[in-house]
């Protein structure tokens, strides 16, 4: 009986391939070939999708009317869907993918070197899989960007949608605008319970999540008055590596591929609140940096929330005073002399906070990348476009 059992076991082993290593190798090769075949087909599909998205981008570049209409309809829907899906997760998908991607690249390089040293046949190497997956991911990201966000770069200028007329400002116009803003900040300080730390920096009177909820509410209200601004709700994410991110001088970022808003919470509270409003403007289809700054300002300034109004005005004050200092130091000194001490303490608090990060090498790299990115999207001013919100603000306050 034992001999018969052994014979039967041997026959079964041969049938299952366990007794012949060539059978296992053949099965593995078949699986690998099937995977490569699937990835090749996926690359072809993504190429077709990407070409379609590029055609959409070309049409948007040719016709601002099309770009505006698409951004307000299909683009809005796609941005909302991405925001809702990514909002399910309590952590930043973009940050996670960035870290995971770095780890994957390191692993892939090590493995490809190993397979090369071991003389693994090329048709069996990991790099065939990795290269195709990388291509698929890049094409998918480009397609998502083009379908959901690229048209926003070519839509009507925001001053047209607001019914404003902007232009370069004189020193006197900058000063006049600063006077208005200083008076408005003073009202906020008197009306609201705005408290400050010993450093001079004010404290957000609610949590990050509550700030996000309030901004959702005021964007919804603003969309009724300004239909070109989307009013859907979204979830902002805190960046886990906020302190490291501060070395890049980035206070927030909207990731169109995941639809997420990611906020650097290491900055003073008024910057955190305004950065959230700024990135929410991007998420709602306002692509240009000066326009996102201005939309965030208008939405927050016209709200009933005193602290959010204060944050918007203080951020604008910073842009205006920087511009005036470059233009006319004497008028700048006059503006500072009439300024409420509490505003100056806020500025001093920010300067003290920012000092350790000001000369960071990472900031130079980040600045160059961001500048190139903005120019590629069609704004020749690059990172200097952020500062141009003062032109829109002066038009908003009807400064002649």
């Amino acid at each position: 009986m034992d001999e018969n059992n052994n014979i039967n076991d041997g026959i079964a082993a041969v049938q299952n391939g366990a007794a012949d290593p060539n059978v296992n190798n053949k099965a593995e090769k078949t699986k690998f070939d099937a995977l490569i075949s699937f990835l090749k087909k996926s690359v072809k599909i993504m190429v077709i999708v990407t070409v379609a998205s590029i055609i959409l981008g070309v049409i948007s570049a040719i016709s601002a009317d099309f770009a505006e209409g698409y951004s307000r309809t299909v683009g809005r829907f796609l941005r909302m869907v991405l925001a809702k899906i990514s909002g399910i997760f309590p952590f930043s998908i973009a940050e996670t993918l960035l870290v995971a991607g770095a780890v994957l690249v390191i692993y892939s390089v090590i493995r490809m070197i190993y397979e090369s040293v071991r003389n693994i046949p090329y048709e069996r190497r990991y790099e065939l899989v990795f290269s195709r997956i990388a291509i698929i991911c890049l094409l998918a990201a480009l397609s998502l960007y083009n379908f959901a966000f690229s048209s926003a770069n070519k839509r009507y200028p925001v001053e047209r949608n607001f019914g404003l007329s902007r232009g370069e400002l004189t020193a006197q116009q900058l000063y006049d605008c600063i006077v208005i803003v200083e008076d408005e900040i003073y009202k906020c300080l008197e009306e609201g319970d705005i408290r400050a730390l010993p450093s001079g920096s004010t404290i957000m009177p609610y949590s990050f999540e509550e700030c996000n909820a309030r901004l959702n509410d005021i964007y919804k209200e603003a969309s009724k008055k300004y239909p070109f601004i989307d009013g859907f709700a979204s979830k902002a994410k805190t960046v886990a590596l906020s302190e490291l991110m501060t070395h890049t001088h980035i206070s927030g970022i909207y990731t169109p591929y995941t639809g997420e808003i990611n906020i650097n919470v290491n900055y003073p509270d008024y910057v955190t609140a305004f950065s959230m409003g700024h990135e929410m403007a991007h998420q709602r289809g306002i692509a240009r940096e000066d326009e996102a700054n201005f939309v965030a300002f208008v939405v927050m300034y016209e709200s009933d929330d005193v602290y959010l109004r204060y944050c918007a005005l203080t951020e604008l004050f910073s842009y205006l005073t920087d511009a005036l200092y470059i233009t006319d130091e004497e008028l700048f000194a006059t503006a500072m002399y009439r300024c409420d001490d509490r505003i100056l303490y806020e500025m001093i608090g920010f300067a003290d906070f920012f000092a350790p990060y000001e000369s960071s090498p990472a900031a130079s790299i980040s600045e160059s990348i961001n500048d190139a990115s903005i120019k590629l999207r069609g704004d020749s001013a690059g990172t200097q476009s952020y500062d141009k919100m003062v032109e829109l603000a002066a038009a908003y306050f009807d400064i002649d």
Side-chain angles (χ1 to χ4, degrees), residues 79-80 83-84 86-87 209 212-213 215-216 231-237 259-261 276 279-280 283-284:
R79 290 191 300 272
M80 181 180 66
K84 297 296 184 182
S86 62
E209 291 73 20
N212 185 188
L215 281 166
N216 277 328
F232 62 83
S234 62
K235 182 178 180 180
K237 311 282 187 71
E260 284 179 309
I261 295 168
M276 197 185 304
E279 303 308 332
M280 289 176 78
Q283 190 182 51
R284 283 148 185 76

Side-chain angles (χ1 to χ4, degrees), residues 211 215 218-219 270 273-278 294-313:
C211 181
L215 281 166
I218 65 175
Y219 262 98
Y270 86 89
F274 188 81
S275 294
M276 197 185 304
H278 173 97
F294 180 64
V295 166
F297 167 77
V298 171
V299 169
M300 295 168 73
Y301 174 68
E302 293 186 357
S303 74
D304 294 329
D305 190 300
V306 177
Y307 185 71
L308 292 180
R309 289 177 60 207
Y310 169 83
C311 294
L313 288 160

Side-chain angles (χ1 to χ4, degrees), residues 342-354:
R342 289 169 290 184
I343 306 173
L344 297 179
Y345 291 149
E346 181 81 86
M347 297 297 102
I348 293 170
F350 177 84
D352 291 342
F353 156 80
F354 194 67

Side-chain angles (χ1 to χ4, degrees), residues 132-172:
R132 284 165 173 77
I133 291 176
I135 291 171
I136 291 170
C137 290
L138 290 173
L139 292 177
L142 178 59
S143 298
L144 278 173
Y145 176 83
N146 285 337
F147 281 124
F149 196 70
S150 67
S151 62
N153 292 292
K154 304 300 180 181
R155 63 188 301 186
Y156 299 149
V158 75
E159 60 265 30
R160 173 173 172 175
N161 281 325
F162 273 111
L164 301 173
S165 179
R166 71 188 291 184
E168 293 187 8
L169 302 177
T170 65
Q172 186 61 49

Side-chain angles (χ1 to χ4, degrees), residues 3 21 66 129 165 176 209 229 231 243 268 287 333:
E3 289 181 358
F66 174 83
V129 176
S165 179
D176 292 342
E209 291 73 20
I229 300 175
E243 203 282 329

Side-chain angles (χ1 to χ4, degrees), residues 86-106:
S86 62
I88 296 171
F89 301 89
F91 56 87
S92 169
I93 297 175
E95 185 180 18
T96 303
L97 289 176
L98 181 64
V99 175
V103 173
L104 177 61
V105 169
I106 294 171

Side-chain angles (χ1 to χ4, degrees), residues 290 367 371 374-375 378-388:
D290 58 332
E367 172 81 10
D371 184 70
I374 294 171
K375 288 177 178 177
D379 191 337
S380 60
T383 51
Q384 293 181 357
S385 61
Y386 289 91
D387 304 335
K388 289 184 173 296

